[in-house]
Amino acid sequence: MDVFHTILSFRGALRNERAQGKRIGFVPTMGNLHDAHLELIKTARRSNDIVVCSIFVNGLQFGLNEDWDKYPRTFEADCDKLRSVGCDYLFHPDDNEMYPNGLDKQTRVICATMADVLCGASRPGHFEGVTTVVSKLFNIVQPDEAIFGAKDFQQLAIIRRMVEDLCIPVTITAAPIHREADGLAMSSRNSFITERERPLVNQLNKSLNWVAEQIKNGNKDFIALEAEARKQIETVGLRPDYITVCNSKTLEHAAVDDTDLAVLGAVYTSGARLIDNVELG
Ligand code: PAF
């Protein structure tokens, strides 16, 4: 695996690959890689000649109360993991390379209406930071395909919308949620779950599945279903941020005649905020 720290040298290497007609698959990450990230790399490997990963802890998507500087940096271990699944190129820029004019002066990409709801409501500016860095990374890598985990449902929906609205020539692929044996969605944040909370946190997944089952059985009283799911989660001692049934493309609250639905949820544990979702086609 070749590692690049500058846009110029990285673009040169990719230009050579593209000139040989190679198809490029891209997995953007912030590092601290776990099995779910490696699944994204494996997905990219299956349908592309060249697999590119980026590791960049993007300050622009961290809120004032979120610890950008405490985000785990595990570069050497990440490189070993990427090599073990056949990643070809790793792009690992520093802040100055990505934001040479500073964060405050950086031109932003904003996905209107979808960025300030759900997770965006409790993390102001977060998705603006994501769309800005992802559009920069797309311009740098110019991949044929980019792979994102379906766990971050809102992020995925926003990126799909950004690509459509800005006519970015990349196919966005969602990789299925990678789960622990009890259903808990894998996440870097799971390391902040305490031992006492660990057996309880899969209640989020259980409650989202319960709502999805109710809808499949014809219950369209979404507000009542959301309220009941919240109650189930509170009963085990977790604090729900939101539980919502929404249109999976627009993220607007579901209407009874919507066909593409998703049940999304976020809960707070004592040290983490966990998200999960169930999609209903
Ligand atoms: O999902 C993530 O890890 C980040 O939001 C991403 C897409 C790498 C942008 O920084």
Side-chain angles (χ1 to χ4, degrees), residues 93-115:
D94 66 13
D95 295 330
N96 198 41
E97 188 68 9
M98 285 303 278
Y99 298 120
N101 299 311
L103 292 188
D104 291 345
K105 296 198 179 113
Q106 170 63 42
T107 301
R108 313 287 174 112
V109 176
I110 301 170
C111 182
T113 72
M114 293 167 78

Side-chain angles (χ1 to χ4, degrees), residues 19-209:
Q20 295 170 49
K22 302 271 176 70
R23 186 181 150 85
I24 297 173
F26 176 45
V27 179
T29 79
M30 297 206 299
N32 193 23
L33 303 181
H34 51 72
D35 285 354
H37 291 112
L38 302 186
E39 287 302 317
L40 305 183
I41 302 283
K42 289 181 198 166
T43 303
R45 185 75 282 164
R46 281 195 283 276
S47 48
N48 296 281
D49 304 307
I50 298 293
V51 176
V52 171
C53 178
S54 64
I55 294 181
F56 177 64
V57 185
N58 175 34
L60 207 57
Q61 70 187 75
F62 283 74
L64 288 178
N65 56 348
E66 297 176 339
D67 289 344
W68 169 85
D69 49 337
K70 295 212 179 72
Y71 191 89
R73 269 90 167 161
T74 51
F75 185 68
E76 293 306 329
D78 290 347
C79 285
D80 289 343
K81 289 178 186 169
L82 289 172
R83 280 191 202 99
S84 77
V85 287
C87 181
D88 298 299
Y89 291 110
L90 172 60
F91 181 49
H92 183 51
D94 66 13
D95 295 330
N96 198 41
E97 188 68 9
M98 285 303 278
Y99 298 120
N101 299 311
L103 292 188
D104 291 345
K105 296 198 179 113
Q106 170 63 42
T107 301
R108 313 287 174 112
V109 176
I110 301 170
C111 182
T113 72
M114 293 167 78
D116 294 334
V117 295
L118 306 169
C119 290
S122 42
R123 303 183 70 188
H126 168 71
F127 287 111
E128 181 178 320
V130 171
T131 41
T132 299
V133 80
V134 170
S135 59
K136 285 183 75 118
L137 290 166
F138 282 174
N139 283 334
I140 294 165
V141 180
Q142 298 179 20
D144 296 280
E145 181 183 15
I147 295 96
F148 292 85
K151 180 177 75 69
D152 296 304
F153 194 92
Q154 185 172 9
Q155 169 169 284
L156 183 62
I158 288 175
I159 287 168
R160 284 191 196 285
R161 174 63 69 82
M162 174 186 84
V163 161
E164 185 184 349
D165 285 352
L166 301 184
C167 309
I168 303 176
V170 60
T171 301
I172 302 297
T173 298
I177 301 178
H178 209 57
R179 295 186 182 279
E180 304 286 356
D182 68 346
L184 174 68
M186 280 192 191
S187 162
S188 322
R189 298 210 166 79
N190 292 359
S191 58
F192 301 121
I193 301 170
T194 63
E195 244 173 71
R196 190 193 60 78
E197 287 165 337
R198 180 61 192 83
L200 309 175
V201 287
N202 68 347
Q203 184 60 47
L204 173 60
N205 181 241
K206 283 190 195 161
S207 293
L208 298 182
N209 275 311

Side-chain angles (χ1 to χ4, degrees), residues 59 271 275:
I275 57 172

